[in-house]
Amino acid sequence: MSRKPTTTDPELAQRLSRRGMLGVAAGATAAALVGSAAPTAAAAPADSAAAGKGRGRPVLPPGRLGIQLYSLRDKVSSVGFAPVFAELEKYGYDEIEFAGYTQGAAGAITLAQLKRLARDHGLNPIGSHVGYYDDNNPNAYTFAQNLTKVLDDAEALGLKHIGTASGPFRYGTTVDAWKRAAEDFNTYGEAARKRGMKFYQHNHAEEFSFATDKPKVRLYDVLLAETDPDFVYLEMDIYWAFSAQFRFGKRVDGTPALFHPLDYVLKQPHRYPLFHVKDGIRDETTRDGYRMTDVGDGDIDYKKFLSKVTSRTHQGKRYHHWQTEHDNPVESYAFARKSSEHLHSLRGRCGD
C-alpha cells in the first residue's frame, strides 16, 4: 500500500459543495476548500494516479463514512462538540460514533442539544460505546447495571446502534464463562431491538484468544455461536483483528490456528453493520504486530477490505458503516482529515 499523500477527490469536493459548506458556491470553490483542508494532498498527484487512485468506482459507499469521537477527545474536551463537528463536516464525514456523551466537553450539553448539533452539521449519530459491566457499582452507567437508562439515552439521540467496546470477560476466559456473557448480550440485544436499535460488541485483539479450559477453542467463535444473530451484532475493529491474527495465529501448544479477519465478515456480513477503520505499520518486533498510525499511512489493505465487504449485499441493500479511529493520534484533526481523504480516494475496478 502506498504511504504517499493522496490526491484530492473530486467526488468528495462535489459532495461537500452540495452541503453548502461555509456558504460557498459549488464547483471550483468547493474543490479549493477541500484542497485547503489538506494542504499536502496536491503534492503528489502523479504518484496518486500511478497508484490507481482517482480512477474507477469508489470503494467507500456514499454517506457511510463516520468517525469514533474517542479519536478527537482532546478537541472535544478543550473546545466542545460544535467546533469539532464543524471540522468533521468540512472533512467530508457523514456519521459519528460516540464514546460517552460529554467526553469532558467544554460546557454542559444535553442529549437533545447534542443530537441537534450533529444534525446541523450533517452528521448522523450512528452508534455509541457504553461499558458492559461494573459489578462493584450498582449505579454504573453500563448495560449490566443500568440497561434502561442506557437505552433511553440512545433512543433520545436517535441511535440505530448501541454497543460496548468491553470484551465478554465478565465471568472469565472459559467456554462456559463466554456462554454466560453471550446470554447477557442476548438480553441487551433483545431489549435494544424492541426499541428499534441493534446491540453490538466491538472487539480488541484478546477476543480472538483461546479458552483456558479448551485451548483449541477460539473465544470469538464461542461469542459468534452463542449469541442470537437477531439480537447481537459485531463491530469489527479491523486493526485489532489483524493484530489478533498476528498474536493468536497459533494455539498455546504451537500448532497453527490461522484465520483472516475478512473471512469472518464475508461468512456472516449481516452481523457486521459497523467497522472501525484503523491502520497500522507492520512491525513483528512489537506485541501487537503493528504500530498504529493514521489511516492510509499503514499496511492494512483497505482497498481490498472495503471492496470485498461492500460487494456483498443483504436482501439487496448495502448496510455497512465505516468509522475511522486512532487511539492516540499525533494530531487528531490531521488524523481525521487524512483518513477521510484517503478512504474517499480509493477506487476499485468496475467489476469488483
Side-chain angles (χ1 to χ4, degrees):
M1 174 184 294
S2 172
R3 294 182 191 150
K4 297 177 181 178
T6 57
T7 189
T8 300
D9 177 27
E11 180 179 321
L12 173 59
Q14 182 180 14
R15 185 158 62 86
L16 291 177
S17 70
R18 287 199 302 268
R19 285 185 177 182
M21 183 180 67
L22 303 181
V24 300
T29 310
L33 258 173
V34 177
S36 67
T40 63
D47 292 334
S48 296
K53 295 176 181 178
R55 300 176 180 177
R57 67 167 184 83
V59 301
L60 180 69
R64 294 302 180 95
L65 179 63
I67 189 168
Q68 167 52 253
L69 291 174
Y70 181 76
S71 305
L72 295 158
R73 61 194 180 279
D74 62 323
K75 297 295 193 292
V76 173
S77 64
S78 61
V79 300
F81 282 104
V84 171
F85 287 177
E87 289 297 306
L88 295 179
E89 180 182 19
K90 187 162 60 177
Y91 302 156
Y93 282 92
D94 310 293
E95 301 175 336
I96 49 175
E97 182 184 36
F98 292 104
Y101 307 129
T102 61
Q103 292 185 229
I109 188 168
T110 67
L111 294 180
Q113 290 171 330
L114 191 55
K115 180 181 180 181
R116 183 165 54 252
L117 188 63
R119 182 192 62 203
D120 290 346
H121 288 285
L123 298 170
N124 178 33
I126 192 64
S128 180
H129 286 185
V130 177
Y132 167 19
Y133 68 94
D134 183 349
D135 291 335
N136 295 318
N137 179 7
N139 297 314
Y141 189 78
T142 63
F143 283 96
Q145 276 69 43
N146 274 292
L147 176 61
T148 299
K149 174 61 174 171
V150 167
L151 297 180
D152 284 347
D153 290 349
E155 195 169 21
L157 282 165
L159 301 182
K160 296 300 182 184
H161 307 83
I162 180 68
T164 184
S166 302
F169 293 98
R170 183 182 188 184
Y171 307 110
T173 56
T174 65
V175 170
D176 284 343
W178 274 52
K179 287 182 177 180
R180 189 176 172 190
E183 292 177 4
D184 286 348
F185 284 8
N186 286 334
T187 298
Y188 311 151
E190 185 174 11
R193 181 173 178 173
K194 289 178 180 177
R195 302 201 191 199
M197 292 180 282
K198 292 180 179 178
F199 169 82
Y200 64 96
Q201 194 268 342
H202 163 283
N203 66 274
H204 293 85
E206 287 73 19
E207 283 87 338
F208 293 88
S209 62
F210 298 95
T212 49
D213 60 332
K214 296 182 179 180
K216 292 186 177 182
V217 176
R218 195 180 299 280
L219 289 172
Y220 195 71
D221 295 336
V222 177
L223 179 68
L224 282 169
E226 297 296 327
T227 50
D228 189 324
D230 290 331
F231 296 150
V232 178
Y233 297 84
L234 291 308
E235 176 180 61
M236 178 174 281
D237 186 304
I238 301 168
Y239 171 91
W240 287 121
F242 273 92
S243 172
Q245 183 188 48
F246 171 78
R247 290 178 59 188
F248 305 113
K250 292 182 180 179
R251 299 182 183 88
V252 178
D253 64 5
T255 57
L258 303 178
F259 73 93
H260 197 291
L262 188 56
D263 292 339
Y264 275 103
V265 180
L266 297 184
K267 185 176 181 180
Q268 301 185 71
H270 62 285
R271 293 204 73 179
Y272 293 88
L274 305 172
F275 291 91
H276 271 192
V277 180
K278 186 186 298 181
D279 212 344
I281 297 170
R282 183 75 172 182
D283 185 352
E284 296 187 6
T285 67
T286 65
R287 183 200 67 167
D288 295 325
Y290 291 86
R291 289 181 285 109
M292 199 175 296
T293 189
D294 294 348
V295 178
D297 289 345
D299 294 312
I300 297 177
D301 189 346
Y302 276 111
K303 177 181 175 181
K304 176 182 178 181
F305 201 100
L306 268 76
S307 295
K308 292 289 187 181
V309 174
T310 57
S311 67
R312 298 294 181 96
T313 61
H314 180 59
Q315 297 177 347
K317 298 179 180 179
R318 298 187 185 277
Y319 53 93
H320 300 289
H321 303 264
W322 306 88
Q323 321 294 310
T324 65
E325 188 186 33
H326 191 311
D327 291 358
N328 293 290
V330 174
E331 208 296 312
S332 54
Y333 277 157
F335 156 74
R337 184 196 70 233
K338 288 168 57 181
S339 299
S340 171
E341 188 170 73
H342 175 73
L343 292 172
H344 277 105
S345 77
L346 296 178
R347 294 291 185 272
R349 294 173 300 179
C350 293
D352 286 350

